[in-house]
């Protein structure tokens, strides 16, 4: 699966909105560092976090076991399956939140915003 990723931390700096349908196109043209925007491949049976780390990126995490939400991402396009999730309520899953620590892509392409743990929705879930 090919993953296109964007760091949530840069949205504010650029005045970008998560709800903007063209967010990824805008980011692609935004001259961002590879750490903040880019693409990588996820291998079969590899979690998104493991793939990010294999490519040299330091995405946030803590427990790696589906219990803390520090690794949360938002899926903008495509779909993932998360094996263990003890923390995200259904309404957040419905909004596209997933856990990168044990979430694996189930579509050939995925667009995600990572590092969303500073979003107010996640404040009470972080351990
Ligand atoms: Fe704790 Fe993913 S790192 S839920």
């Amino acid at each position: 699966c090919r993953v296109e990723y964007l760091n949530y931390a840069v949205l504010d700096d650029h005045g970008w909105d998560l709800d903007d349908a063209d967010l990824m196109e805008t980011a692609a043209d935004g001259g961002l560092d590879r750490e903040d925007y880019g693409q990588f491949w996820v291998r079969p049976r590899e979690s998104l976090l493991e793939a990010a780390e294999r490519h040299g990126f330091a995405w946030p995490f803590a427990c790696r076991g589906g219990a803390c939400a520090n690794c949360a991402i938002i899926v903008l396009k495509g779909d993932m399956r998360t094996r263990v999730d003890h923390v995200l309520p259904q309404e957040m899953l419905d909004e596209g939140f997933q856990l990168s620590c044990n979430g694996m892509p189930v579509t050939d392409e995925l667009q995600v915003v990572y590092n969303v743990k500073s979003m107010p929705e996640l404040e009470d879930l972080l351990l």
Side-chain angles (χ1 to χ4, degrees), residues 52-94:
E53 290 173 339
R54 181 167 54 78
H55 288 87
F57 301 121
W59 286 17
F61 70 91
C63 73
R64 300 183 90 99
C68 74
N70 281 282
C71 68
I73 56 165
I74 293 181
V75 177
L76 298 180
K77 195 169 147 196
D79 204 4
M80 287 178 64
R81 180 159 16 105
T82 300
R83 285 167 299 167
V84 185
D85 181 348
H86 298 298
V87 62
L88 296 178
Q90 186 60 47
E91 60 266 29
M92 291 184 69
L93 297 172
D94 293 344

Side-chain angles (χ1 to χ4, degrees), residues 98-109:
Q98 288 282 343
L99 301 175
S100 71
C101 69
N102 71 90
M104 297 179 185
V106 292
T107 48
D108 289 341
E109 303 213 350

Side-chain angles (χ1 to χ4, degrees), residues 39-61:
Q39 301 183 1
F40 60 67
W41 290 87
V42 183
R43 292 174 177 160
R45 292 188 299 284
E46 190 176 45
S47 75
L48 199 54
L49 178 62
E50 287 165 346
E53 290 173 339
R54 181 167 54 78
H55 288 87
F57 301 121
W59 286 17
F61 70 91

Side-chain angles (χ1 to χ4, degrees), residues 11-52:
L11 266 66
D12 258 0
D13 296 348
H14 292 81
W16 295 341
D17 189 349
L18 205 49
D19 296 326
D20 182 349
D22 299 325
L23 176 61
M24 280 303 196
E25 285 84 355
T26 308
D29 296 335
L32 296 173
D33 291 342
R34 224 183 129 240
E35 186 189 319
D36 293 326
Y37 169 83
Q39 301 183 1
F40 60 67
W41 290 87
V42 183
R43 292 174 177 160
R45 292 188 299 284
E46 190 176 45
S47 75
L48 199 54
L49 178 62
E50 287 165 346

